[in-house]
Amino acid sequence: MIEVEHLTKYYGEIRGVEDLSFKIGKGEIVGFLGPNGSGKTTTMRILVCYMPATRGQVKIAGFDVEKDSMAVRKKIGYLPEHPPLYNDMTVRSYLGFVGRLRGLGKRETGQGLERVVEVCALSEVVDRLIGQLSKGFRQRVGLAQALIHNPEVLVLDEPTIGLDPKQNADIRSLIKGLAGEHTIILSTHILPEVTLTCQRVIIIHQGRMVADSRLEDLTREQDLEQAFLKLIGFEQEEKRT
């Protein structure tokens, strides 16, 4: 469903990502894990046709993101780190607006709106102004706009950033429930988000992929934490006596 081959992006002489290659199968939910500044957002933006790569190839559902960008955009739903919300619109009017932008007809937009309001548990706020919502509900609205056209692929960039523990758990549960029906790539720098949500983890550091493993091969969260720290060049401090 997602095929990335030798993906490279430079900003002038500054490396964003270099020589990334991975595949994500239909229905998988994969964590794209790395420290801040490691190239996660750059990769997400290339996947969703927001910016071109310097070199390499990316295909979504068989379509090349550079040659067939319009076809790719129909296949994906994108939740950026800061959701593109309009504070002076109600949730209902905003989602209807997004549906129309996605090329959905009136009937399809209505059906899509009903579906995402139920899936994202927005019924109690659907007629409230977005600017009056809590951070957790705003994040749900951001996820709903990514789902309105029922895309095959979801690209989620730091979907739980800034949320409190309960909101984190709610969003994680919501995302996990979408696996199978949607192929999901989720970028984050938070280890528990990967272990509690994803089936597989790709670890990136300084623009390069340093690991790709299924979580079932890691028996404890501590194993992932130790592997992550080692792979990005940090050694655990020796205990001081």
Side-chain angles (χ1 to χ4, degrees):
M1 187 58 68
I2 300 176
E3 300 174 68
V4 176
E5 295 183 1
H6 306 294
L7 179 64
T8 299
K9 176 66 177 180
Y10 272 79
Y11 302 95
E13 296 182 356
I14 300 174
R15 180 178 67 202
V17 295
E18 185 166 8
D19 201 32
L20 296 183
S21 295
F22 59 86
K23 293 183 179 181
I24 300 176
K26 186 175 182 179
E28 271 194 290
I29 178 166
V30 176
F32 201 61
L33 177 66
N36 290 328
S38 60
K40 301 187 302 297
T41 294
T42 292
T43 304
M44 300 298 103
R45 289 177 175 176
I46 293 172
L47 291 182
V48 300
C49 310
Y50 184 82
M51 66 168 62
T54 303
R55 293 188 299 275
Q57 184 179 56
V58 177
K59 289 185 177 181
I60 306 289
F63 296 101
D64 188 288
V65 298
E66 184 174 348
K67 298 176 181 177
D68 302 298
S69 66
M70 294 307 295
V72 169
R73 293 170 200 229
K74 293 178 181 179
K75 299 289 185 180
I76 60 175
Y78 178 39
L79 176 63
E81 184 175 344
H82 303 289
L85 306 178
Y86 294 98
N87 290 336
D88 56 350
M89 298 180 76
T90 65
V91 173
R92 186 187 303 277
S93 60
Y94 170 71
L95 293 176
F97 171 66
V98 173
R100 293 191 295 274
L101 286 181
R102 283 290 186 177
L104 302 181
K106 184 176 181 179
R107 182 179 178 183
E108 292 174 310
T109 298
Q111 292 174 338
L113 196 153
E114 289 182 8
R115 176 175 49 80
V116 297
V117 165
E118 180 179 355
V119 169
C120 298
L122 291 169
S123 58
E124 65 181 275
V125 299
V126 69
D127 290 311
R128 288 176 56 185
L129 291 176
I130 292 174
Q132 298 175 349
L133 301 182
S134 68
K135 173 71 173 177
F137 273 118
R138 288 169 63 87
Q139 203 71 357
R140 287 172 182 266
V141 174
L143 188 55
Q145 66 81 27
L147 287 166
I148 189 73
H149 57 302
N150 199 24
E152 295 181 47
V153 177
L154 278 175
V155 178
L156 310 178
D157 193 3
E158 301 281 2
T160 63
I161 191 166
L163 301 183
D164 65 33
K166 183 181 184 305
Q167 293 169 341
N168 266 330
D170 290 343
I171 293 295
R172 281 198 303 261
S173 177
L174 175 56
I175 293 170
K176 193 171 183 179
L178 296 172
E181 294 184 16
H182 306 271
T183 301
I184 303 172
I185 181 168
L186 179 159
S187 81
T188 183
H189 63 280
I190 304 170
L191 284 166
E193 190 166 308
V194 171
T195 58
L196 295 173
T197 309
C198 304
Q199 302 162 341
R200 178 175 144 215
V201 60
I202 295 171
I203 300 177
I204 183 174
H205 180 52
Q206 295 181 347
R208 298 178 184 272
M209 190 171 74
V210 294
D212 183 350
S213 176
R214 295 194 65 81
L215 288 179
E216 63 190 21
D217 297 329
L218 301 167
T219 58
R220 299 183 306 278
E221 182 177 333
Q222 185 179 12
D223 292 337
L224 177 57
E225 182 176 5
Q226 291 175 349
F228 176 62
L229 293 174
K230 183 176 181 180
L231 286 164
I232 65 174
F234 289 97
E235 298 293 338
Q236 288 188 321
E237 293 184 2
E238 294 183 1
K239 292 182 179 180
R240 296 180 180 179
T241 59

